[in-house]
Amino acid sequence: MSSRHLVDPELHPFIEQWSEIKPTRETLPRMRLELARGLEKGAPPTLPRDVEVSERWVPGPPGAPEVRVLVYRPKRKSPGAWPALLHMHPGGYIIGSPEMNDVSNRRLASRVGCVIVSVDYRLAPETPFPGPVEDCYAALRWLHANAAQLGVDASRLAIGGESAGGGLAAALGLMLRDRGDVPVIFQVLIYPMIDDRTAAGVDPAPHVGAFFWTRASNRFGWKCLLGQKPGGADVSPYAAPARAHSLAGLPPTLMCVGALDLFMEETVEYARRLLAEGVPTELHVYPRAVHAFNLVEQTQVAQSFLRDYEQALRRALYPSGAPPDTGRTAKKSAAKKATRRPSPRKRSR
């Protein structure tokens, strides 16, 4: 039975355009191009003018090529070093690039007041696990080691991403906890792809996963990443974070997912386990929302998500409550003073 009637009406044009992605090894090269172009269609958005973007190539994992990153930095002055977010883009581990999130990363850097480093990690099946997560780990180590040169506060680093990017962020969180060499204070897991067993015949609720990223797409993505059928006994938690025996010691976490997303159950379960292990966790489940619903920015549900995301990230990166828009506030205050009418002087008697 179709679950279209359960979807938010504002998202109907989205699910009609992207009813299902059907990747195969033969169609994957073309899909990579078409998806990147399709997500950029529409009227050119109004971009923040107070964010500068630069491309860097940073040392990769041992024996691997350099990793390309895009660095988003607010132009306005900060009272100190900026906090930073290492961002991993979505794409089922098989498609995508940092450019897919260019608009959202510019806005996030401007509105929250932070540097964002978005990682162009290698994709599967050309580079299966552990290549993608090791690329992200190498990028984070570079960010931490070069924090001073980047104007970044090394004590206020966060990691995050969407879908496969959320899965990589979760895996990176486990890796950092276990290796203990780079501290992070927050992780953002947006409808994360974290459990290969969802693709191995363990069917979630029948009304989820009907649109955009489906069960078939999920099986293909996991098979490409793992180099084998998903659901086996020897899958590393650094590939599928839901496989971790313990989630204790992970940083405070934000998790967001649509109620009709294929990843809804694994997201909610991961949040439950985090809370049970004493990890401060904020979970949002958006009713009537499908996978990647936030791409339709003008919808009410996407606006709710964006507000929740920005507020949670701002609280984490500015724990003292310092305003992230100090530069803009000062300018507005100065402009207001300049246009304020002088008060009439009292006449001397």
Side-chain angles (χ1 to χ4, degrees):
M1 183 178 70
S2 173
S3 58
R4 187 178 186 277
H5 66 287
L6 298 175
V7 179
D8 188 324
E10 286 192 294
L11 293 173
H12 282 185
F14 174 71
I15 64 173
E16 287 165 4
Q17 179 183 3
W18 300 101
S19 59
E20 182 179 357
I21 299 174
K22 299 179 181 179
T24 66
R25 287 183 178 267
E26 293 73 28
T27 63
L28 193 54
R30 176 175 53 82
M31 284 189 60
R32 287 171 175 170
L33 290 175
E34 289 182 353
L35 182 60
R37 291 170 181 168
L39 293 175
E40 293 297 327
K41 284 182 179 179
T46 302
L47 296 176
R49 296 182 178 180
D50 61 343
V51 175
E52 58 185 10
V53 185
S54 61
E55 181 185 64
R56 303 286 187 94
W57 292 86
V58 307
E66 290 183 314
V67 179
R68 187 178 75 99
V69 300
L70 295 183
V71 180
Y72 297 81
R73 178 182 174 81
K75 294 179 182 178
R76 62 185 186 271
K77 291 183 179 180
S78 169
W82 293 107
L85 168 71
L86 186 83
H87 172 260
M88 279 66 73
H89 67 78
Y93 299 112
I94 56 175
I95 54 179
S97 68
E99 282 77 7
M100 288 173 58
N101 290 77
D102 181 68
V103 173
S104 59
N105 280 337
R106 287 175 188 263
R107 289 176 178 166
L108 201 62
S110 175
R111 293 176 181 175
V112 173
C114 65
V115 170
I116 296 178
V117 177
S118 191
V119 187
D120 193 8
Y121 56 87
R122 289 170 292 170
L123 300 174
E126 294 88 346
T127 304
F129 172 80
V133 70
E134 290 290 356
D135 285 352
C136 299
Y137 176 74
L140 184 64
R141 290 196 65 185
W142 170 82
L143 172 59
H144 182 259
N146 293 274
Q149 294 90 326
L150 295 168
V152 165
D153 182 351
S155 69
R156 289 187 293 159
L157 301 181
I159 56 177
E162 306 85 8
S163 196
L168 287 169
L172 187 58
L174 292 169
M175 188 176 286
L176 294 170
R177 178 198 65 179
D178 298 342
R179 296 181 180 178
D181 53 353
V182 180
V184 294
I185 63 170
F186 196 59
Q187 61 177 0
V188 180
L189 312 181
I190 308 301
Y191 39 82
M193 186 173 174
I194 51 177
D195 197 342
D196 65 300
R197 293 167 296 189
T198 302
V202 181
D203 287 336
H207 58 276
V208 304
F211 304 102
F212 197 74
W213 191 254
T214 64
R215 291 168 176 81
S217 303
N218 201 41
R219 283 193 295 272
F220 180 77
W222 276 113
K223 186 176 180 180
C224 288
L225 179 70
L226 300 176
Q228 62 186 36
K229 290 184 179 180
D234 57 346
V235 175
S236 169
Y238 298 153
R243 298 284 199 129
H245 294 298
S246 173
L247 304 183
L250 290 173
T253 304
L254 169 69
M255 300 191 77
C256 301
V257 68
L260 303 178
D261 194 319
L262 181 65
F263 302 148
M264 183 272 292
E265 291 187 9
E266 60 192 71
T267 298
V268 172
E269 173 61 13
Y270 201 78
R272 185 199 66 78
R273 291 182 59 198
L274 286 167
L275 289 166
E277 301 254 25
V279 178
T281 302
E282 179 178 344
L283 170 66
H284 294 273
V285 180
Y286 298 94
R288 312 187 78 179
V290 299
H291 190 71
F293 68 92
N294 59 302
L295 294 177
V296 193
E297 294 183 349
Q298 68 272 22
T299 61
Q300 294 183 65
V301 67
Q303 289 296 312
S304 295
F305 158 78
L306 184 60
R307 182 175 59 251
D308 294 335
Y309 186 179
E310 290 179 0
Q311 290 178 351
L313 187 59
R314 191 178 292 115
R315 286 194 302 269
L317 296 181
Y318 291 90
S320 64
D325 58 343
T326 303
R328 252 188 293 184
T329 302
K331 288 182 181 179
K332 288 182 180 179
S333 178
K336 189 177 290 186
K337 288 181 180 179
T339 57
R340 186 180 298 162
R341 293 181 179 179
S343 57
R345 295 180 179 178
K346 293 182 179 180
R347 293 181 180 179
S348 59
R349 293 179 179 176

